[in-house]
Amino acid sequence: MAIVAGIDCSTQYTKIVACDADTGGVLRDNRAPHPVPAGSEETSRTSEIDPQLWLHSLGAAATGGILEGVRAIGVSAQQHGMVGLDAGGVLVRPALLWNDPRASGAAATLIDALGGPGAWAQAIGAVPDASYTVAKLRWLAEFEPGSAARLAEVLLPHDWLVWQLLGHPRRRTTDRGDASGTGYWSPVTGQYRTDLVKLALGHEVRLPEVLGPAEPAGETPEGLLISAGTGDNMAAALGLGAGPGDAVVSLGTTGTVFAVHDEPLVDPGGTISSFADATGRHLPLVGTLNAVQVLRCTAALLGVDLEGLSELALQSSPGSYGLVLLPYLEGERTPYLPHAAGTLSGLRAESMRREHVARAAVEGMLCGIADALDVLRRRGVAVRRVFLVGSAGRLAAVQHIAPLVLGVPVVIPPPGDYAARGGARQAAWALAGTAEPPRWELPDAVTVEPGEDVAFGQAVRQQYASVREQMHPEERY
């Protein structure tokens, strides 16, 4: 039995899983937090780190023989970050992470400089925001011109980790999935747009070679095969086994909806971000600003925790006795309602009960996710099954209501580090050298069918859409 490992470097943790290369069964796993340097503090205004701390975390996660017998490793990491090196390969400044908000103004400037959102959608399949690497380059040029002048090479977090594992070879590599989140690589053409790097930074830089899905990056000095690696969303899709017809819904504070598709999508309005995936296909993505926080805020209002909210919601019935919650607590991205607030509609004497408010919160959150899925469907993306990930997906009310509202079977995977598992599956693929990745099952996953109750879900969505259109007649996607 060959053993492969996946490493996922998220914003706060490094996770490792060791798997059977043939079946995907997890043999060992561990995680370690990223160290926080003394005297430093991540704030809402900054999010950056010395990437050497990723290596400290990796070393801590690799203790206890977790990599014993491993023949190949795949690396996943947070998308969009920026690791800048000078001409000698020395770090210019701490790595900027995807969630550093300082580049929001730089992103707006770049959008205008190229001719608006439609021009960016045509160029790279997406409209960059503060998270994109290209916006961080523009921010650096504006606010740290000395660092920008020294910058000779740009890597993504997973690129840098692969380079470290390989012993700092002259060749630098990335993959098409992670490259598609930079803002200067096009999933439509499969090529870098170096002119966009120059537009942002003022000069061109060295960029890593983009590897094919099963193409290895190289071998470590100890002889371990290192696969191409990829970004965390792409790795999660690979780890879940998502294929054409599948969508992945990630319920965090915000919501992320992406689906496996055979063709790149160009959305001039910028609602869809057209990423590449880790298999040679594409991963169009739509985001919502409101997801689990809707449940948390409602739970606090009702004086319960999330489990208590779930129990209350199951005491109500589809449609929440006419209550409809438009969950736009932070405005909304999909539909584009940046200045909207939430709305609770349908208050009557018989509906003003805690269980109906609880169910309206769950239905409203899921209707918002269904709206995002519809954006993809309208562009020809098939959605025949949904993988539901995130801690909220384990709430009984969410599991019960999601298939009704989304209108398709919903797969609830067991808890696990699916981005790390995706890295391991990619490593197994590179080790095997086959045309397709190995088939790995999720034996403990639970699939919930909408069944005969799907009509109730359609009625809930119609009720929701009626209130949404009444409150926001000028919405756009």
Side-chain angles (χ1 to χ4, degrees):
M1 175 185 70
I3 301 175
V4 294
I7 296 170
D8 178 53
C9 178
S10 68
T11 311
Q12 296 179 315
Y13 289 90
T14 295
K15 294 151 278 187
I16 304 176
V17 297
C19 300
D20 183 315
D22 296 324
T23 68
V26 175
L27 307 174
R28 301 180 290 271
D29 66 271
N30 199 15
R31 63 167 55 195
H34 296 159
V36 178
S40 71
E41 181 179 351
E42 183 179 301
T43 72
S44 60
R45 299 185 303 276
T46 66
S47 185
E48 57 184 51
I49 190 172
D50 181 347
Q52 291 291 333
L53 296 178
W54 294 334
L55 296 181
H56 290 298
S57 179
L58 175 58
T63 57
I66 192 170
L67 295 178
E68 184 177 346
V70 165
R71 294 180 55 192
I73 296 174
V75 177
S76 158
Q78 55 195 289
Q79 290 178 250
H80 304 304
M82 188 198 78
V83 183
L85 307 178
D86 67 13
V90 176
L91 191 70
V92 168
R93 69 173 320 283
L96 289 167
L97 305 184
W98 68 274
N99 57 344
D100 190 301
R102 287 175 288 178
S104 57
T109 300
L110 280 175
I111 291 169
D112 290 341
L114 195 64
W120 278 96
Q122 290 292 332
I124 61 161
V127 179
D129 57 24
S131 65
Y132 278 68
T133 317
V134 71
K136 298 182 191 308
L137 292 177
R138 181 58 174 248
W139 177 86
L140 198 70
E142 291 180 359
F143 293 97
E144 296 184 6
S147 295
R150 289 179 55 207
L151 198 67
E153 182 174 2
V154 178
L155 300 176
L156 298 168
H158 115 253
D159 308 342
W160 187 86
L161 285 165
V162 166
W163 183 52
Q164 297 295 312
L165 291 174
L166 293 175
H168 311 99
R170 177 169 177 77
R171 181 193 189 208
R172 322 297 206 241
T173 63
T174 190
D175 91 303
R176 56 193 297 277
D178 218 1
S180 65
T182 60
Y184 45 78
W185 186 89
S186 168
V188 178
T189 65
Q191 301 292 326
Y192 280 119
R193 288 288 304 266
T194 55
D195 59 313
L196 299 180
V197 176
K198 189 172 182 179
L199 176 68
L201 188 63
H203 63 271
E204 294 185 3
V205 295
R206 180 184 177 186
L207 299 172
E209 177 186 346
V210 181
L211 301 177
E215 188 176 356
E219 291 188 356
T220 70
E222 298 79 21
L224 283 176
L225 184 72
I226 305 296
S227 63
T230 194
D232 52 1
N233 283 326
M234 299 79 194
L238 193 61
L240 289 165
D246 290 333
V248 178
V249 171
S250 178
L251 296 177
T253 301
T254 60
T256 302
V257 178
F258 54 88
V260 180
H261 194 52
D262 286 330
E263 303 293 334
L265 298 181
V266 174
D267 175 20
T271 301
I272 300 173
S273 295
S274 188
F275 296 128
D277 80 345
T279 71
R281 294 185 173 92
H282 295 267
L283 209 66
L285 181 148
V286 178
T288 69
L289 293 180
N290 299 279
V292 178
Q293 70 168 343
V294 176
L295 305 186
R296 291 196 184 104
C297 291
T298 307
L301 178 69
L302 298 176
V304 295
D305 59 12
L306 287 180
E307 290 290 345
L309 181 82
S310 177
E311 292 173 7
L312 282 171
L314 291 174
Q315 295 171 23
S316 183
S317 56
S320 309
Y321 266 64
L323 283 186
V324 174
L325 177 66
L326 300 185
Y328 307 147
L329 305 187
E330 298 290 340
E332 190 46 83
R333 179 185 299 143
T334 309
Y336 185 68
L337 298 167
H339 307 297
T343 301
L344 183 61
S345 175
L347 288 170
R348 296 179 177 86
E350 64 270 20
S351 66
M352 292 180 67
R353 297 177 62 89
R354 297 168 76 239
E355 61 266 30
H356 304 322
V357 174
R359 184 165 184 123
V362 178
E363 289 181 344
M365 179 195 72
L366 290 170
C367 282
I369 295 296
D371 281 351
L373 280 171
D374 283 348
V375 172
L376 296 176
R377 288 185 172 113
R378 285 196 290 269
R379 293 299 308 275
V381 178
V383 179
R384 293 185 287 270
R385 182 175 66 163
V386 166
F387 288 89
L388 191 60
V389 298
S391 59
R394 294 193 285 277
L395 294 174
V398 174
Q399 293 185 10
H400 175 72
I401 298 171
L404 307 183
V405 172
L406 304 183
V408 293
V410 171
V411 180
I412 314 295
D417 292 319
Y418 287 99
R421 189 175 193 259
R425 190 176 178 212
Q426 187 193 65
W429 190 9
L431 188 65
T434 53
E436 296 291 332
R439 185 176 179 84
W440 286 8
E441 302 291 345
L442 288 174
D444 297 323
V446 175
T447 299
V448 186
E449 302 279 351
E452 297 179 358
D453 290 340
V454 68
F456 292 123
Q458 293 170 349
V460 168
R461 289 211 64 197
Q462 289 170 1
Q463 178 178 264
Y464 178 90
S466 177
V467 174
R468 185 193 63 211
E469 290 162 8
Q470 180 182 4
M471 294 299 301
H472 304 286
E474 302 302 321
E475 70 180 36
R476 69 173 178 84
Y477 288 88

